[in-house]
Amino acid sequence: MASVGMISLGCEKNRVDAEMMMARLQKAGYELVDDASCADVAIVNTCGFIEAAKKESIGEILELGKQKAAGQIKAIVVTGCMAERYQQEIRKELPEADAVCGIGADADIVEVVDRTLRGEHPELFPEKTLLPLCGERVHSTPLYSSYIKIAEGCDNRCSYCAIPLIRGPYRSRPMESILEEAKALAESGTKELIVIAQDTTRYGRDLYKKWMLPELLHKLGTVDGVEWIRLLYCYPDFMTEELMDTIAQEPKIVKYVDLPLQHCSGPVLRAMRRFGDRETLTALIGKMRERIPGLVLRTTVIAGFPGETEEDFAELCDFIKEIRFERLGCFAYSQEEDTPAAEMENQIEEDEKRRRAGRVMETQMGIMQDWGEAQVGRVFDVLTEGFDEETQCWFGRSYADAPEIDGRVYFTAADVPAPGQFVRVRITACMDCDLMGEAE
């Protein structure tokens, strides 16, 4: 049987979709290879969220196109968000692609690959709501840390965001399906379960007519084998006191919340169609930190949104200095076609957007270094991930660090810890926002 390689770009929700496609292909008898350039068929599961992601996706397709021309691979299949969003453009502008499929065709990936190997050029764009919400997966992450997607799509309609156009309306998975998958992941060795959706806090509203994330988290907390449950993509609008108390009281839920705020200026947030203003967000964060002892708060903000004045930007910087988020990322605003914000007046020059984003991150790096230095002397449970040859130290993550987006804890140990093993580490220093320590 022929071989297939997958390149999945963008967010972890896209990664889960890719893993389900790989499971379908493996079940159909295809050999899966890690390096797509060495496969008979290369699949690029694209991201189409912002301009930089689209450029990355196009670059991967073009590079694979060179390898196909050299005879290294036989066919290229383009799936994912960019394929869904730019259906006709990809076939016209990227002839390297032998097949282009929207997200609703993920369940048909075996048929698509079969047809490309017969020399056909399939284009499948069924309803995006046909995207499978669950199914068997071939994991592309270490099994000790697994993502679990609890919903698809988005109803928030932020003015800068194309996700509702690409992914469709919000659709919660049945709770029984999520729990069944969580138990299977735990049985296969998962220690850390990372709960994701476009908006995790909205979970259940469409399916059960009420907010169901707290109940889901309580039930996930009963799954044997799982030791950490981590929450990503929690919108501030639905961060209820019940949810805060659930996070605080459930021992397996790490005291880490990803709460994308995007800004703090009232006029900018209204233009973004987002929740709140500086006063309401400050009050919300204060309540969260009061009700969830030891909370590590991560957020993302956008610099250079259309109409963002110097005063708005100064307010954002002051807000970041006041709140002192333990974790923060900043994006320069990306003008995405077919979104309301793209048509707004007072678009800001690219250089200025990048300057503002850089200034935010410069401020944040100092805050994170200060936080790290304040951890010296504390003891953390660290999930071991590997050994770093350069520092000659083991490394892993504490509860304060989500994989790939946050920092690491480097530590020395008398014994050799296995990947996925928890180790108690006493912190001795902080270097470039990463923690250093010694295993106890």
Side-chain angles (χ1 to χ4, degrees), residues 115-137:
R115 290 174 62 184
T116 60
L117 286 171
R118 292 197 299 265
E120 299 178 33
H121 298 275
E123 298 178 28
L124 278 68
F125 299 100
E127 285 294 323
K128 58 192 73 178
T129 52
L130 293 175
L131 172 75
L133 294 182
C134 57
E136 294 181 22
R137 293 159 56 186

Side-chain angles (χ1 to χ4, degrees), residues 335-409:
Q335 188 175 4
E336 293 301 309
E337 55 203 2
D338 300 323
T339 63
E343 306 301 322
M344 290 179 179
E345 298 180 353
N346 302 316
Q347 298 284 333
I348 295 171
E349 294 291 331
E350 289 296 325
D351 287 348
E352 177 61 16
K353 290 189 289 189
R354 287 194 293 270
R355 183 193 71 81
R356 293 184 186 185
R359 184 173 159 195
V360 167
M361 289 312 300
E362 184 178 345
T363 298
Q364 180 62 24
M365 292 300 286
I367 293 170
M368 290 194 296
Q369 181 67 22
D370 290 345
W371 180 87
E373 291 174 357
Q375 308 315 305
V376 172
R378 286 189 62 187
V379 177
F380 287 92
D381 289 321
V382 173
L383 183 60
T384 306
E385 294 187 309
F387 185 79
D388 182 67
E389 294 291 344
E390 183 177 347
T391 61
Q392 289 292 296
C393 288
W394 300 96
F395 66 87
R397 291 178 291 107
S398 73
Y399 84 94
D401 303 300
E404 298 185 12
I405 56 175
D406 295 322
R408 287 175 168 177
V409 179

Side-chain angles (χ1 to χ4, degrees), residues 76-97:
I76 299 170
V77 176
V78 180
T79 63
C81 288
M82 194 176 78
E84 177 68 37
R85 188 176 183 189
Y86 299 104
Q87 301 174 6
Q88 303 307 317
E89 291 89 338
I90 291 177
R91 292 296 295 129
K92 181 180 178 182
E93 303 295 335
L94 292 168
E96 293 85 356

